[in-house]
Structures are given as structure tokens and as C-alpha cells.
Amino acid sequence: YLTNGISGLIKALYDIDKVNKLIVKQIKYKLNDENVLYTIWNVEYIIKNKGINKPIFDFLCHQALNNVSPKKDTIKNPMQLSINSVRGAAIDKIMRLQDKRYGNRIFDVLKTTILKEKKYAIKATIIHNSAYLQFYNKVKAFNLFMDIIKIDKRLINESFWSANYFANSFFSE
């Protein structure tokens, strides 16, 4: 019920600080994957309003590194699978965060994920969103982009949006 209540408050554009406190309270409970996923989706409201705090950021990082969802994988429409899984949604949120306080940790989480990740869908989310990381450091973002391409060449299909952003700084004709 708490997850649905928070979703309703977000739809009503309720006070960001109060929503933030409710989410912090919620993440202390043992949640099933469905509620964890909805909580991660609800964090988008906090991110858009620049209200993320350390407990919520730590929750996202923990889910990105440790949750087993998605259990299946696909090359067809991998982004859809990824953002509808706990790990993929958490990675998506931390990559779009754009808060300088968390930049180094975001890179650490992503590097760890890239090294151990077996799911194409999760890697697709990282490559697709890697241009967002230029906010922190263009060179580190580009290196992460190149590292993941080297690991799985098939990811070139998911990389066009980010590659377009990196093209101006790192690619020549």
C-alpha cells in the first residue's frame, strides 16, 4: 500500500521533501521485487526535482549491484526488459542522476557491473545511457563506453544515441 500511496502523491505533484522521506522510510522495509521496482520508478520524481539523498542513492546502488532481476535476457528489445527489471531500472536512474556528489560512486558501480554482468539487456542500458555520464567527466564516460563495446560488440546496436554525443569530442572523420 505504501508504494501505491507514494505513486499517488507523485501524480499529485506532492511536496518533494515529504515524498523523499516516505521513500526513505519505505526502502527500510523488506520489499518484494515488484515493490522494489515501483520504488525505483518513483525515485524518478525525486531525481527530476533534484532531491535525491544518500539513503536513496545507496538503495539504487545496492539494487544495481545485487538484485538478481532480470532473470531472463533478450537481444530483441533489451531496453524494454532492462528498465522493467530491478537492476536495469536502478542503473538507468543512477546514470540519469546528474548530481556531482555521487559521480565517483556512479562510475564505480558501473565499472563493477560491466565486469560481472552477463545480461545483454543490462549492458544495453549502460551503453545507451553512457552519454549522460559526460556531466561528470567526458573522458571517463567515453572510456566506459569503449570498455563495454570491447566486451560485447553486439552492443553497437544499442550505442547510437550515446555515440552521437561522443562523436563531437572523440571521433574524427
Side-chain angles (χ1 to χ4, degrees), residues 129-165:
N129 289 339
S130 60
Y132 286 116
L133 301 175
Q134 292 182 93
F135 173 82
Y136 302 105
N137 183 313
K138 275 188 175 187
V139 173
K140 281 175 80 172
F142 180 70
N143 288 339
L144 186 123
F145 175 87
M146 293 304 293
D147 287 347
I148 199 162
I149 286 285
K150 290 175 190 170
I151 290 169
D152 190 336
K153 302 275 191 258
R154 299 173 301 167
L155 288 165
I156 199 104
N157 296 325
E158 317 307 329
S159 72
F160 294 116
W161 183 79
S162 285
N164 188 47
Y165 280 91

PDB file of all heavy atoms in Angstrom, residues 129-165:
ATOM      1  N   ASN A 129      22.898   4.740 -22.091  1.00  0.00           N
ATOM      2  CA  ASN A 129      22.886   5.908 -21.213  1.00  0.00           C
ATOM      3  C   ASN A 129      24.256   6.506 -20.940  1.00  0.00           C
ATOM      4  O   ASN A 129      24.357   7.491 -20.206  1.00  0.00           O
ATOM      5  CB  ASN A 129      22.243   5.546 -19.870  1.00  0.00           C
ATOM      6  CG  ASN A 129      20.762   5.335 -19.964  1.00  0.00           C
ATOM      7  OD1 ASN A 129      20.110   5.797 -20.891  1.00  0.00           O
ATOM      8  ND2 ASN A 129      20.215   4.628 -19.000  1.00  0.00           N
ATOM      9  N   SER A 130      25.296   5.952 -21.493  1.00  0.00           N
ATOM     10  CA  SER A 130      26.646   6.404 -21.136  1.00  0.00           C
ATOM     11  C   SER A 130      26.906   7.881 -21.444  1.00  0.00           C
ATOM     12  O   SER A 130      27.700   8.520 -20.760  1.00  0.00           O
ATOM     13  CB  SER A 130      27.706   5.518 -21.792  1.00  0.00           C
ATOM     14  OG  SER A 130      27.598   5.539 -23.187  1.00  0.00           O
ATOM     15  N   ALA A 131      26.217   8.457 -22.392  1.00  0.00           N
ATOM     16  CA  ALA A 131      26.412   9.887 -22.693  1.00  0.00           C
ATOM     17  C   ALA A 131      26.006  10.765 -21.514  1.00  0.00           C
ATOM     18  O   ALA A 131      26.569  11.851 -21.330  1.00  0.00           O
ATOM     19  CB  ALA A 131      25.637  10.285 -23.940  1.00  0.00           C
ATOM     20  N   TYR A 132      25.060  10.327 -20.702  1.00  0.00           N
ATOM     21  CA  TYR A 132      24.678  11.111 -19.515  1.00  0.00           C
ATOM     22  C   TYR A 132      25.865  11.325 -18.587  1.00  0.00           C
ATOM     23  O   TYR A 132      25.923  12.316 -17.855  1.00  0.00           O
ATOM     24  CB  TYR A 132      23.572  10.402 -18.721  1.00  0.00           C
ATOM     25  CG  TYR A 132      22.210  10.452 -19.344  1.00  0.00           C
ATOM     26  CD1 TYR A 132      21.582   9.285 -19.763  1.00  0.00           C
ATOM     27  CD2 TYR A 132      21.526  11.659 -19.493  1.00  0.00           C
ATOM     28  CE1 TYR A 132      20.309   9.318 -20.320  1.00  0.00           C
ATOM     29  CE2 TYR A 132      20.258  11.702 -20.048  1.00  0.00           C
ATOM     30  CZ  TYR A 132      19.653  10.532 -20.460  1.00  0.00           C
ATOM     31  OH  TYR A 132      18.408  10.569 -21.012  1.00  0.00           O
ATOM     32  N   LEU A 133      26.811  10.414 -18.594  1.00  0.00           N
ATOM     33  CA  LEU A 133      27.944  10.476 -17.675  1.00  0.00           C
ATOM     34  C   LEU A 133      28.928  11.587 -18.027  1.00  0.00           C
ATOM     35  O   LEU A 133      29.804  11.914 -17.220  1.00  0.00           O
ATOM     36  CB  LEU A 133      28.649   9.129 -17.632  1.00  0.00           C
ATOM     37  CG  LEU A 133      27.771   7.958 -17.196  1.00  0.00           C
ATOM     38  CD1 LEU A 133      28.552   6.656 -17.312  1.00  0.00           C
ATOM     39  CD2 LEU A 133      27.223   8.158 -15.802  1.00  0.00           C
ATOM     40  N   GLN A 134      28.783  12.185 -19.196  1.00  0.00           N
ATOM     41  CA  GLN A 134      29.632  13.316 -19.555  1.00  0.00           C
ATOM     42  C   GLN A 134      29.463  14.471 -18.573  1.00  0.00           C
ATOM     43  O   GLN A 134      30.356  15.296 -18.420  1.00  0.00           O
ATOM     44  CB  GLN A 134      29.319  13.802 -20.971  1.00  0.00           C
ATOM     45  CG  GLN A 134      29.723  12.813 -22.036  1.00  0.00           C
ATOM     46  CD  GLN A 134      29.432  13.342 -23.413  1.00  0.00           C
ATOM     47  OE1 GLN A 134      30.302  13.941 -24.034  1.00  0.00           O
ATOM     48  NE2 GLN A 134      28.211  13.145 -23.871  1.00  0.00           N
ATOM     49  N   PHE A 135      28.339  14.525 -17.918  1.00  0.00           N
ATOM     50  CA  PHE A 135      28.079  15.531 -16.886  1.00  0.00           C
ATOM     51  C   PHE A 135      29.180  15.504 -15.830  1.00  0.00           C
ATOM     52  O   PHE A 135      29.552  16.530 -15.276  1.00  0.00           O
ATOM     53  CB  PHE A 135      26.707  15.261 -16.251  1.00  0.00           C
ATOM     54  CG  PHE A 135      26.386  16.110 -15.064  1.00  0.00           C
ATOM     55  CD1 PHE A 135      25.906  17.394 -15.222  1.00  0.00           C
ATOM     56  CD2 PHE A 135      26.558  15.612 -13.776  1.00  0.00           C
ATOM     57  CE1 PHE A 135      25.603  18.176 -14.127  1.00  0.00           C
ATOM     58  CE2 PHE A 135      26.251  16.392 -12.677  1.00  0.00           C
ATOM     59  CZ  PHE A 135      25.779  17.672 -12.844  1.00  0.00           C
ATOM     60  N   TYR A 136      29.698  14.313 -15.538  1.00  0.00           N
ATOM     61  CA  TYR A 136      30.720  14.154 -14.514  1.00  0.00           C
ATOM     62  C   TYR A 136      32.130  14.285 -15.086  1.00  0.00           C
ATOM     63  O   TYR A 136      32.960  14.984 -14.531  1.00  0.00           O
ATOM     64  CB  TYR A 136      30.578  12.798 -13.818  1.00  0.00           C
ATOM     65  CG  TYR A 136      29.233  12.598 -13.192  1.00  0.00           C
ATOM     66  CD1 TYR A 136      28.288  11.762 -13.773  1.00  0.00           C
ATOM     67  CD2 TYR A 136      28.883  13.258 -12.032  1.00  0.00           C
ATOM     68  CE1 TYR A 136      27.041  11.584 -13.204  1.00  0.00           C
ATOM     69  CE2 TYR A 136      27.636  13.096 -11.452  1.00  0.00           C
ATOM     70  CZ  TYR A 136      26.717  12.263 -12.053  1.00  0.00           C
ATOM     71  OH  TYR A 136      25.483  12.101 -11.497  1.00  0.00           O
ATOM     72  N   ASN A 137      32.377  13.567 -16.171  1.00  0.00           N
ATOM     73  CA  ASN A 137      33.714  13.535 -16.742  1.00  0.00           C
ATOM     74  C   ASN A 137      33.620  12.934 -18.149  1.00  0.00           C
ATOM     75  O   ASN A 137      33.317  11.745 -18.286  1.00  0.00           O
ATOM     76  CB  ASN A 137      34.632  12.697 -15.843  1.00  0.00           C
ATOM     77  CG  ASN A 137      36.063  12.654 -16.290  1.00  0.00           C
ATOM     78  OD1 ASN A 137      36.359  12.432 -17.466  1.00  0.00           O
ATOM     79  ND2 ASN A 137      36.968  12.849 -15.351  1.00  0.00           N
ATOM     80  N   LYS A 138      33.895  13.751 -19.164  1.00  0.00           N
ATOM     81  CA  LYS A 138      33.750  13.294 -20.553  1.00  0.00           C
ATOM     82  C   LYS A 138      34.662  12.114 -20.876  1.00  0.00           C
ATOM     83  O   LYS A 138      34.254  11.164 -21.533  1.00  0.00           O
ATOM     84  CB  LYS A 138      34.050  14.433 -21.529  1.00  0.00           C
ATOM     85  CG  LYS A 138      32.904  15.314 -21.814  1.00  0.00           C
ATOM     86  CD  LYS A 138      33.265  16.281 -22.934  1.00  0.00           C
ATOM     87  CE  LYS A 138      32.032  17.081 -23.293  1.00  0.00           C
ATOM     88  NZ  LYS A 138      32.238  17.918 -24.454  1.00  0.00           N
ATOM     89  N   VAL A 139      35.911  12.194 -20.436  1.00  0.00           N
ATOM     90  CA  VAL A 139      36.880  11.147 -20.770  1.00  0.00           C
ATOM     91  C   VAL A 139      36.503   9.831 -20.088  1.00  0.00           C
ATOM     92  O   VAL A 139      36.498   8.774 -20.722  1.00  0.00           O
ATOM     93  CB  VAL A 139      38.316  11.581 -20.406  1.00  0.00           C
ATOM     94  CG1 VAL A 139      39.305  10.444 -20.590  1.00  0.00           C
ATOM     95  CG2 VAL A 139      38.729  12.793 -21.243  1.00  0.00           C
ATOM     96  N   LYS A 140      36.155   9.878 -18.804  1.00  0.00           N
ATOM     97  CA  LYS A 140      35.747   8.660 -18.099  1.00  0.00           C
ATOM     98  C   LYS A 140      34.478   8.070 -18.719  1.00  0.00           C
ATOM     99  O   LYS A 140      34.351   6.851 -18.843  1.00  0.00           O
ATOM    100  CB  LYS A 140      35.520   8.950 -16.617  1.00  0.00           C
ATOM    101  CG  LYS A 140      36.799   9.036 -15.815  1.00  0.00           C
ATOM    102  CD  LYS A 140      36.538   9.456 -14.377  1.00  0.00           C
ATOM    103  CE  LYS A 140      36.078   8.330 -13.527  1.00  0.00           C
ATOM    104  NZ  LYS A 140      36.002   8.687 -12.079  1.00  0.00           N
ATOM    105  N   ALA A 141      33.563   8.932 -19.114  1.00  0.00           N
ATOM    106  CA  ALA A 141      32.323   8.460 -19.746  1.00  0.00           C
ATOM    107  C   ALA A 141      32.632   7.759 -21.063  1.00  0.00           C
ATOM    108  O   ALA A 141      32.106   6.683 -21.348  1.00  0.00           O
ATOM    109  CB  ALA A 141      31.370   9.628 -19.968  1.00  0.00           C
ATOM    110  N   PHE A 142      33.494   8.364 -21.852  1.00  0.00           N
ATOM    111  CA  PHE A 142      33.864   7.767 -23.145  1.00  0.00           C
ATOM    112  C   PHE A 142      34.609   6.445 -22.937  1.00  0.00           C
ATOM    113  O   PHE A 142      34.348   5.466 -23.654  1.00  0.00           O
ATOM    114  CB  PHE A 142      34.703   8.737 -23.979  1.00  0.00           C
ATOM    115  CG  PHE A 142      35.109   8.180 -25.296  1.00  0.00           C
ATOM    116  CD1 PHE A 142      34.170   7.981 -26.299  1.00  0.00           C
ATOM    117  CD2 PHE A 142      36.423   7.829 -25.547  1.00  0.00           C
ATOM    118  CE1 PHE A 142      34.540   7.445 -27.527  1.00  0.00           C
ATOM    119  CE2 PHE A 142      36.800   7.302 -26.772  1.00  0.00           C
ATOM    120  CZ  PHE A 142      35.856   7.109 -27.765  1.00  0.00           C
ATOM    121  N   ASN A 143      35.507   6.410 -21.970  1.00  0.00           N
ATOM    122  CA  ASN A 143      36.250   5.174 -21.691  1.00  0.00           C
ATOM    123  C   ASN A 143      35.310   4.048 -21.260  1.00  0.00           C
ATOM    124  O   ASN A 143      35.479   2.898 -21.681  1.00  0.00           O
ATOM    125  CB  ASN A 143      37.333   5.411 -20.644  1.00  0.00           C
ATOM    126  CG  ASN A 143      38.494   6.212 -21.188  1.00  0.00           C
ATOM    127  OD1 ASN A 143      38.704   6.287 -22.396  1.00  0.00           O
ATOM    128  ND2 ASN A 143      39.226   6.849 -20.304  1.00  0.00           N
ATOM    129  N   LEU A 144      34.327   4.368 -20.457  1.00  0.00           N
ATOM    130  CA  LEU A 144      33.328   3.378 -20.060  1.00  0.00           C
ATOM    131  C   LEU A 144      32.568   2.876 -21.286  1.00  0.00           C
ATOM    132  O   LEU A 144      32.355   1.683 -21.452  1.00  0.00           O
ATOM    133  CB  LEU A 144      32.371   3.976 -19.027  1.00  0.00           C
ATOM    134  CG  LEU A 144      31.392   2.996 -18.442  1.00  0.00           C
ATOM    135  CD1 LEU A 144      31.542   2.980 -16.915  1.00  0.00           C
ATOM    136  CD2 LEU A 144      29.982   3.375 -18.798  1.00  0.00           C
ATOM    137  N   PHE A 145      32.182   3.795 -22.142  1.00  0.00           N
ATOM    138  CA  PHE A 145      31.500   3.473 -23.400  1.00  0.00           C
ATOM    139  C   PHE A 145      32.345   2.495 -24.219  1.00  0.00           C
ATOM    140  O   PHE A 145      31.858   1.463 -24.679  1.00  0.00           O
ATOM    141  CB  PHE A 145      31.254   4.775 -24.174  1.00  0.00           C
ATOM    142  CG  PHE A 145      30.661   4.606 -25.535  1.00  0.00           C
ATOM    143  CD1 PHE A 145      29.285   4.541 -25.707  1.00  0.00           C
ATOM    144  CD2 PHE A 145      31.472   4.550 -26.664  1.00  0.00           C
ATOM    145  CE1 PHE A 145      28.732   4.416 -26.973  1.00  0.00           C
ATOM    146  CE2 PHE A 145      30.927   4.418 -27.933  1.00  0.00           C
ATOM    147  CZ  PHE A 145      29.557   4.349 -28.087  1.00  0.00           C
ATOM    148  N   MET A 146      33.627   2.808 -24.381  1.00  0.00           N
ATOM    149  CA  MET A 146      34.514   1.950 -25.177  1.00  0.00           C
ATOM    150  C   MET A 146      34.757   0.598 -24.495  1.00  0.00           C
ATOM    151  O   MET A 146      34.814  -0.431 -25.166  1.00  0.00           O
ATOM    152  CB  MET A 146      35.849   2.662 -25.437  1.00  0.00           C
ATOM    153  CG  MET A 146      35.716   3.887 -26.336  1.00  0.00           C
ATOM    154  SD  MET A 146      34.950   3.532 -27.934  1.00  0.00           S
ATOM    155  CE  MET A 146      36.192   2.496 -28.688  1.00  0.00           C
ATOM    156  N   ASP A 147      34.888   0.601 -23.176  1.00  0.00           N
ATOM    157  CA  ASP A 147      35.108  -0.654 -22.445  1.00  0.00           C
ATOM    158  C   ASP A 147      33.965  -1.631 -22.659  1.00  0.00           C
ATOM    159  O   ASP A 147      34.193  -2.823 -22.875  1.00  0.00           O
ATOM    160  CB  ASP A 147      35.273  -0.389 -20.940  1.00  0.00           C
ATOM    161  CG  ASP A 147      36.602   0.252 -20.596  1.00  0.00           C
ATOM    162  OD1 ASP A 147      37.511   0.276 -21.453  1.00  0.00           O
ATOM    163  OD2 ASP A 147      36.723   0.751 -19.455  1.00  0.00           O
ATOM    164  N   ILE A 148      32.764  -1.131 -22.598  1.00  0.00           N
ATOM    165  CA  ILE A 148      31.621  -2.036 -22.728  1.00  0.00           C
ATOM    166  C   ILE A 148      31.454  -2.524 -24.171  1.00  0.00           C
ATOM    167  O   ILE A 148      31.091  -3.665 -24.408  1.00  0.00           O
ATOM    168  CB  ILE A 148      30.320  -1.428 -22.152  1.00  0.00           C
ATOM    169  CG1 ILE A 148      29.325  -2.542 -21.875  1.00  0.00           C
ATOM    170  CG2 ILE A 148      29.760  -0.347 -23.019  1.00  0.00           C
ATOM    171  CD1 ILE A 148      28.207  -2.153 -20.947  1.00  0.00           C
ATOM    172  N   ILE A 149      31.804  -1.694 -25.140  1.00  0.00           N
ATOM    173  CA  ILE A 149      31.771  -2.126 -26.551  1.00  0.00           C
ATOM    174  C   ILE A 149      32.799  -3.242 -26.779  1.00  0.00           C
ATOM    175  O   ILE A 149      32.533  -4.204 -27.492  1.00  0.00           O
ATOM    176  CB  ILE A 149      32.048  -0.940 -27.510  1.00  0.00           C
ATOM    177  CG1 ILE A 149      30.845  -0.011 -27.583  1.00  0.00           C
ATOM    178  CG2 ILE A 149      32.444  -1.415 -28.892  1.00  0.00           C
ATOM    179  CD1 ILE A 149      29.683  -0.523 -28.388  1.00  0.00           C
ATOM    180  N   LYS A 150      33.963  -3.102 -26.164  1.00  0.00           N
ATOM    181  CA  LYS A 150      35.001  -4.131 -26.312  1.00  0.00           C
ATOM    182  C   LYS A 150      34.565  -5.468 -25.731  1.00  0.00           C
ATOM    183  O   LYS A 150      34.934  -6.521 -26.232  1.00  0.00           O
ATOM    184  CB  LYS A 150      36.298  -3.671 -25.640  1.00  0.00           C
ATOM    185  CG  LYS A 150      36.991  -2.550 -26.359  1.00  0.00           C
ATOM    186  CD  LYS A 150      38.192  -2.062 -25.570  1.00  0.00           C
ATOM    187  CE  LYS A 150      38.743  -0.787 -26.168  1.00  0.00           C
ATOM    188  NZ  LYS A 150      39.756  -0.171 -25.301  1.00  0.00           N
ATOM    189  N   ILE A 151      33.767  -5.425 -24.666  1.00  0.00           N
ATOM    190  CA  ILE A 151      33.298  -6.648 -24.009  1.00  0.00           C
ATOM    191  C   ILE A 151      32.275  -7.384 -24.873  1.00  0.00           C
ATOM    192  O   ILE A 151      32.277  -8.603 -24.943  1.00  0.00           O
ATOM    193  CB  ILE A 151      32.717  -6.325 -22.616  1.00  0.00           C
ATOM    194  CG1 ILE A 151      33.853  -5.910 -21.683  1.00  0.00           C
ATOM    195  CG2 ILE A 151      31.952  -7.500 -22.038  1.00  0.00           C
ATOM    196  CD1 ILE A 151      33.378  -5.327 -20.365  1.00  0.00           C
ATOM    197  N   ASP A 152      31.404  -6.616 -25.533  1.00  0.00           N
ATOM    198  CA  ASP A 152      30.339  -7.245 -26.324  1.00  0.00           C
ATOM    199  C   ASP A 152      30.057  -6.375 -27.554  1.00  0.00           C
ATOM    200  O   ASP A 152      29.352  -5.373 -27.458  1.00  0.00           O
ATOM    201  CB  ASP A 152      29.080  -7.415 -25.470  1.00  0.00           C
ATOM    202  CG  ASP A 152      28.025  -8.284 -26.143  1.00  0.00           C
ATOM    203  OD1 ASP A 152      28.026  -8.400 -27.382  1.00  0.00           O
ATOM    204  OD2 ASP A 152      27.180  -8.839 -25.410  1.00  0.00           O
ATOM    205  N   LYS A 153      30.590  -6.766 -28.670  1.00  0.00           N
ATOM    206  CA  LYS A 153      30.456  -5.978 -29.903  1.00  0.00           C
ATOM    207  C   LYS A 153      29.008  -5.810 -30.360  1.00  0.00           C
ATOM    208  O   LYS A 153      28.672  -4.853 -31.047  1.00  0.00           O
ATOM    209  CB  LYS A 153      31.265  -6.620 -31.035  1.00  0.00           C
ATOM    210  CG  LYS A 153      32.735  -6.783 -30.741  1.00  0.00           C
ATOM    211  CD  LYS A 153      33.512  -5.545 -31.048  1.00  0.00           C
ATOM    212  CE  LYS A 153      34.992  -5.787 -30.997  1.00  0.00           C
ATOM    213  NZ  LYS A 153      35.642  -5.319 -29.803  1.00  0.00           N
ATOM    214  N   ARG A 154      28.140  -6.737 -29.964  1.00  0.00           N
ATOM    215  CA  ARG A 154      26.735  -6.622 -30.352  1.00  0.00           C
ATOM    216  C   ARG A 154      26.091  -5.352 -29.787  1.00  0.00           C
ATOM    217  O   ARG A 154      25.087  -4.883 -30.313  1.00  0.00           O
ATOM    218  CB  ARG A 154      25.933  -7.834 -29.849  1.00  0.00           C
ATOM    219  CG  ARG A 154      26.381  -9.165 -30.377  1.00  0.00           C
ATOM    220  CD  ARG A 154      25.652 -10.302 -29.713  1.00  0.00           C
ATOM    221  NE  ARG A 154      25.874 -10.262 -28.261  1.00  0.00           N
ATOM    222  CZ  ARG A 154      25.193 -10.955 -27.370  1.00  0.00           C
ATOM    223  NH1 ARG A 154      24.218 -11.739 -27.759  1.00  0.00           N
ATOM    224  NH2 ARG A 154      25.459 -10.871 -26.096  1.00  0.00           N
ATOM    225  N   LEU A 155      26.682  -4.799 -28.759  1.00  0.00           N
ATOM    226  CA  LEU A 155      26.112  -3.608 -28.116  1.00  0.00           C
ATOM    227  C   LEU A 155      26.172  -2.368 -28.999  1.00  0.00           C
ATOM    228  O   LEU A 155      25.560  -1.356 -28.681  1.00  0.00           O
ATOM    229  CB  LEU A 155      26.802  -3.346 -26.775  1.00  0.00           C
ATOM    230  CG  LEU A 155      26.437  -4.345 -25.687  1.00  0.00           C
ATOM    231  CD1 LEU A 155      27.408  -4.248 -24.528  1.00  0.00           C
ATOM    232  CD2 LEU A 155      25.010  -4.136 -25.218  1.00  0.00           C
ATOM    233  N   ILE A 156      26.893  -2.446 -30.091  1.00  0.00           N
ATOM    234  CA  ILE A 156      26.930  -1.322 -31.025  1.00  0.00           C
ATOM    235  C   ILE A 156      25.508  -0.942 -31.447  1.00  0.00           C
ATOM    236  O   ILE A 156      25.206   0.234 -31.663  1.00  0.00           O
ATOM    237  CB  ILE A 156      27.831  -1.623 -32.245  1.00  0.00           C
ATOM    238  CG1 ILE A 156      28.233  -0.333 -32.942  1.00  0.00           C
ATOM    239  CG2 ILE A 156      27.189  -2.521 -33.241  1.00  0.00           C
ATOM    240  CD1 ILE A 156      29.637   0.060 -32.651  1.00  0.00           C
ATOM    241  N   ASN A 157      24.623  -1.924 -31.513  1.00  0.00           N
ATOM    242  CA  ASN A 157      23.229  -1.662 -31.891  1.00  0.00           C
ATOM    243  C   ASN A 157      22.501  -0.783 -30.879  1.00  0.00           C
ATOM    244  O   ASN A 157      21.548  -0.096 -31.232  1.00  0.00           O
ATOM    245  CB  ASN A 157      22.455  -2.977 -32.041  1.00  0.00           C
ATOM    246  CG  ASN A 157      22.994  -3.814 -33.158  1.00  0.00           C
ATOM    247  OD1 ASN A 157      23.437  -3.310 -34.175  1.00  0.00           O
ATOM    248  ND2 ASN A 157      22.973  -5.124 -32.964  1.00  0.00           N
ATOM    249  N   GLU A 158      22.926  -0.802 -29.632  1.00  0.00           N
ATOM    250  CA  GLU A 158      22.282  -0.031 -28.573  1.00  0.00           C
ATOM    251  C   GLU A 158      23.005   1.284 -28.301  1.00  0.00           C
ATOM    252  O   GLU A 158      22.560   2.080 -27.491  1.00  0.00           O
ATOM    253  CB  GLU A 158      22.232  -0.843 -27.270  1.00  0.00           C
ATOM    254  CG  GLU A 158      21.842  -2.282 -27.396  1.00  0.00           C
ATOM    255  CD  GLU A 158      20.541  -2.537 -28.130  1.00  0.00           C
ATOM    256  OE1 GLU A 158      19.636  -1.678 -28.046  1.00  0.00           O
ATOM    257  OE2 GLU A 158      20.430  -3.572 -28.805  1.00  0.00           O
ATOM    258  N   SER A 159      24.114   1.519 -28.973  1.00  0.00           N
ATOM    259  CA  SER A 159      25.003   2.620 -28.608  1.00  0.00           C
ATOM    260  C   SER A 159      24.800   3.914 -29.392  1.00  0.00           C
ATOM    261  O   SER A 159      25.429   4.912 -29.083  1.00  0.00           O
ATOM    262  CB  SER A 159      26.458   2.174 -28.798  1.00  0.00           C
ATOM    263  OG  SER A 159      26.765   2.076 -30.179  1.00  0.00           O
ATOM    264  N   PHE A 160      23.937   3.923 -30.386  1.00  0.00           N
ATOM    265  CA  PHE A 160      23.887   5.073 -31.300  1.00  0.00           C
ATOM    266  C   PHE A 160      23.576   6.402 -30.629  1.00  0.00           C
ATOM    267  O   PHE A 160      24.156   7.422 -30.968  1.00  0.00           O
ATOM    268  CB  PHE A 160      22.913   4.808 -32.453  1.00  0.00           C
ATOM    269  CG  PHE A 160      23.388   3.707 -33.351  1.00  0.00           C
ATOM    270  CD1 PHE A 160      22.666   2.533 -33.464  1.00  0.00           C
ATOM    271  CD2 PHE A 160      24.573   3.820 -34.054  1.00  0.00           C
ATOM    272  CE1 PHE A 160      23.122   1.508 -34.273  1.00  0.00           C
ATOM    273  CE2 PHE A 160      25.040   2.797 -34.860  1.00  0.00           C
ATOM    274  CZ  PHE A 160      24.307   1.635 -34.972  1.00  0.00           C
ATOM    275  N   TRP A 161      22.658   6.414 -29.681  1.00  0.00           N
ATOM    276  CA  TRP A 161      22.306   7.675 -29.024  1.00  0.00           C
ATOM    277  C   TRP A 161      23.529   8.264 -28.318  1.00  0.00           C
ATOM    278  O   TRP A 161      23.864   9.435 -28.496  1.00  0.00           O
ATOM    279  CB  TRP A 161      21.159   7.453 -28.030  1.00  0.00           C
ATOM    280  CG  TRP A 161      20.706   8.718 -27.391  1.00  0.00           C
ATOM    281  CD1 TRP A 161      19.884   9.665 -27.931  1.00  0.00           C
ATOM    282  CD2 TRP A 161      21.063   9.197 -26.092  1.00  0.00           C
ATOM    283  NE1 TRP A 161      19.705  10.700 -27.044  1.00  0.00           N
ATOM    284  CE2 TRP A 161      20.421  10.431 -25.901  1.00  0.00           C
ATOM    285  CE3 TRP A 161      21.853   8.689 -25.064  1.00  0.00           C
ATOM    286  CZ2 TRP A 161      20.548  11.178 -24.740  1.00  0.00           C
ATOM    287  CZ3 TRP A 161      21.984   9.429 -23.907  1.00  0.00           C
ATOM    288  CH2 TRP A 161      21.336  10.650 -23.753  1.00  0.00           C
ATOM    289  N   SER A 162      24.226   7.448 -27.531  1.00  0.00           N
ATOM    290  CA  SER A 162      25.417   7.925 -26.829  1.00  0.00           C
ATOM    291  C   SER A 162      26.567   8.197 -27.791  1.00  0.00           C
ATOM    292  O   SER A 162      27.291   9.182 -27.640  1.00  0.00           O
ATOM    293  CB  SER A 162      25.852   6.932 -25.751  1.00  0.00           C
ATOM    294  OG  SER A 162      24.981   7.009 -24.648  1.00  0.00           O
ATOM    295  N   ALA A 163      26.730   7.335 -28.783  1.00  0.00           N
ATOM    296  CA  ALA A 163      27.809   7.536 -29.754  1.00  0.00           C
ATOM    297  C   ALA A 163      27.672   8.887 -30.443  1.00  0.00           C
ATOM    298  O   ALA A 163      28.673   9.564 -30.709  1.00  0.00           O
ATOM    299  CB  ALA A 163      27.813   6.417 -30.780  1.00  0.00           C
ATOM    300  N   ASN A 164      26.461   9.290 -30.706  1.00  0.00           N
ATOM    301  CA  ASN A 164      26.220  10.598 -31.326  1.00  0.00           C
ATOM    302  C   ASN A 164      26.759  11.729 -30.447  1.00  0.00           C
ATOM    303  O   ASN A 164      27.343  12.688 -30.946  1.00  0.00           O
ATOM    304  CB  ASN A 164      24.722  10.780 -31.591  1.00  0.00           C
ATOM    305  CG  ASN A 164      24.440  12.009 -32.400  1.00  0.00           C
ATOM    306  OD1 ASN A 164      25.085  12.251 -33.414  1.00  0.00           O
ATOM    307  ND2 ASN A 164      23.467  12.786 -31.955  1.00  0.00           N
ATOM    308  N   TYR A 165      26.594  11.623 -29.148  1.00  0.00           N
ATOM    309  CA  TYR A 165      27.111  12.649 -28.234  1.00  0.00           C
ATOM    310  C   TYR A 165      28.628  12.607 -28.136  1.00  0.00           C
ATOM    311  O   TYR A 165      29.275  13.640 -28.027  1.00  0.00           O
ATOM    312  CB  TYR A 165      26.485  12.490 -26.842  1.00  0.00           C
ATOM    313  CG  TYR A 165      25.112  13.070 -26.776  1.00  0.00           C
ATOM    314  CD1 TYR A 165      23.999  12.293 -27.052  1.00  0.00           C
ATOM    315  CD2 TYR A 165      24.912  14.418 -26.475  1.00  0.00           C
ATOM    316  CE1 TYR A 165      22.723  12.821 -27.014  1.00  0.00           C
ATOM    317  CE2 TYR A 165      23.642  14.952 -26.435  1.00  0.00           C
ATOM    318  CZ  TYR A 165      22.553  14.152 -26.706  1.00  0.00           C
ATOM    319  OH  TYR A 165      21.297  14.689 -26.669  1.00  0.00           O
TER     320      TYR A 165
END
